[in-house]
Amino acid sequence: MWKWLRWTRWPLSRAIVAVAALTVVFDVVTAWRGFNLGYLGMVPISPTLPIELVLVVMVGWRRLGLDRTNLAAWHEFLAVGAAALLFGVIQYSRHIGGFGEAMGLVLAALDEEIVYRLAVLILVGATVAKLSGRNWRNAEDWGVGPGLAAIVASGVVFTVLPGHVAQISDTLHALPFVALGMVLGYAMLRTGALLPAVVVHALLNLATIAAFRGEIPIALRSTLAAALLLALVLGTVVAG
């Protein structure tokens, strides 16, 4: 029987929340101003990466899924996902944009997951928990309300990135970005695992650019996205 118990255990401090806030604000501002550290192929390298690494170290790698229990829960998903990602990088490198650009898309996925999942979840969840009188210092004590607010925020903030806004012509076209951000945010807040979300996001990046360049059909990209997100949700149920 499946029963929801709590969000993941993320012991927090004021310093961690402050670094999370800095990470989100700095990344959004630099993204809109077009500031970066250079390019891998056509993919810009985010200047927020050093701050992101500080946040990850402060939270702790074990709390982000690199502990024995979490790795055991996700091992099948990560094994298949890693193989699929390796295949995607090889095919992208050979037929579309080169190895540097392929790795740039993988790095971009890692960057966005740390900023728009981890940092946004911490910032919004802790803030809402504090305002609602709950213990904000550990995500597992937030309860449903603050957790859901953080998940919705992770989808909304992710959607307003300039690269995503350029693809949005109306509200209906914004929904896929919001939904993607919320699914990835749920998986991370439910289990604490960063790598599964990064694998899914990186595969979606590779498939999306390949579809935009006419290398694969749009329908294939959509089918792959549906399969990846369904697998991630099922993996989250098991790992959670």
Side-chain angles (χ1 to χ4, degrees), residues 52 102 134 173 225:
E52 295 170 28
R134 297 177 180 270
H173 286 88

Side-chain angles (χ1 to χ4, degrees), residues 194-219:
L194 175 65
L195 288 181
V198 172
V199 168
V200 169
H201 197 154
L203 280 166
L204 288 175
N205 281 353
L206 294 168
T208 299
I209 300 303
F212 282 167
R213 295 185 180 179
E215 298 293 336
I216 64 172
I218 296 294

